[in-house]
């Protein structure tokens, strides 16, 4: 039986080109991950705050190099797209921003981010998410970007608002963390917002 609609994005939309470097316009760059980022990522994941809001930990730099290889393959396989967020001047790693759970048929993806402890409070996550959303919606052609965070994670809620993601509701018991099930706030941006 034929479909009555067509895919929003065609296969090859991302993988047919190299992953771009995206400037935020205010001192940050979103660039593809490099093997030499492994020590900085491993250090970031030693922060207890990362353990509170993320479900992953890092035991070694070698393990992180495996993550980086997976992140690169995510672009090639069009499963996800992950960027290192670095300072434009000097290249210091200050965070990560990503499109995950991409569904090309519907033009849908989820935005995710984290920042290093030293970068918190500087608007890094909001600036990176805003730049990524503009690229994904306006240049690539995604129609909807979702962003979820634990209800108790108020700083992440502020990031979502500052990045232009409107609140849409609460997903109850949506994500299992080491301390139990978390209700998640759902925010979204759609093309034309």
């Amino acid at each position: 039986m034929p479909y009555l609609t067509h895919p929003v994005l065609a296969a090859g939309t991302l993988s047919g080109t190299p992953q771009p470097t995206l400037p935020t316009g205010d001192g940050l760059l979103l660039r593809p991950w490099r093997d030499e980022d492994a020590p900085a990522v491993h250090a970031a994941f030693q922060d207890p705050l990362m353990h509170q809001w993320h479900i992953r930990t890092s035991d070694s730099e070698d393990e992180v190099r495996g993550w980086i290889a997976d992140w690169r393959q995510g672009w090639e396989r069009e499963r996800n797209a992950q960027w290192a967020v670095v300072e434009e001047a000097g290249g210091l790693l200050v965070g990560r921003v990503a499109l995950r759970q991409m569904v090309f048929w519907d033009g849908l993806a989820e935005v995710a981010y984290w920042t290093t402890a030293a970068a918190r409070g500087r608007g890094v996550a909001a600036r990176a998410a805003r730049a990524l959303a503009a690229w994904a919606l306006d240049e690539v052609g995604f129609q909807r970007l979702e962003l979820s965070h634990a209800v108790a994670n108020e700083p992440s809620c502020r990031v979502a608002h500052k990045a232009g993601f409107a609140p849409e509701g609460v997903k109850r018991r949506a994500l299992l963390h080491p301390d139990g099930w978390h209700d998640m706030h759902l925010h979204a941006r759609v093309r034309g917002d």
Side-chain angles (χ1 to χ4, degrees):
M1 179 179 304
Y3 287 96
L4 297 175
T5 61
H6 299 285
V8 173
L9 298 170
T13 296
L14 297 183
S15 65
T17 61
Q19 184 176 358
T21 295
L22 308 170
T24 63
D26 58 6
L28 298 176
L29 288 176
L30 283 52
R31 64 151 170 82
W33 288 96
R34 302 173 183 159
D35 288 337
E36 57 265 27
D37 294 322
V41 173
H42 175 68
F45 272 81
Q46 304 317 300
D47 177 9
L49 197 56
M50 290 289 272
H51 300 168
Q52 182 177 3
W53 302 121
H54 294 269
I55 59 174
R56 197 172 206 184
T57 187
S58 167
D59 291 330
S60 70
E61 291 177 15
D62 283 339
E63 179 183 30
V64 172
R65 278 188 270 286
W67 297 357
I68 290 170
D70 288 344
W71 294 341
R72 282 194 208 111
Q73 287 179 356
W75 178 269
E76 295 163 7
R77 295 178 182 165
E78 296 184 319
R79 288 189 326 245
N80 58 63
Q82 312 254 356
W83 282 265
V85 181
V86 299
E87 292 178 347
E88 199 167 14
L92 178 69
L93 179 73
V94 291
R96 166 255 195 180
V97 68
L99 293 176
R100 302 184 314 179
Q101 301 178 14
M102 296 188 299
V103 181
F104 277 24
W105 185 273
D106 298 322
L108 172 68
E110 178 186 35
V111 172
Y113 48 80
W114 53 257
T115 58
T116 63
R120 290 197 192 108
R122 296 177 25 209
V124 167
R127 292 154 55 199
R130 194 169 38 250
L132 179 59
W135 174 80
L137 294 166
D138 301 337
E139 293 185 38
V140 178
F142 280 94
Q143 293 299 305
R144 177 180 171 85
L145 300 178
E146 295 181 349
L147 187 159
S148 295
H149 62 82
V151 169
N153 189 345
E154 293 178 15
S156 198
C157 197
R158 287 192 296 273
V159 167
H161 284 283
K162 289 178 183 177
F165 286 77
E168 292 193 339
V170 175
K171 299 188 304 183
R172 297 177 303 140
R173 295 176 51 97
L175 190 62
L176 181 61
H177 281 249
D179 63 349
W181 287 99
H182 283 225
D183 291 349
M184 303 294 283
H185 274 163
L186 174 64
H187 299 257
R189 279 183 65 170
V190 297
R191 195 163 192 198
D193 277 354

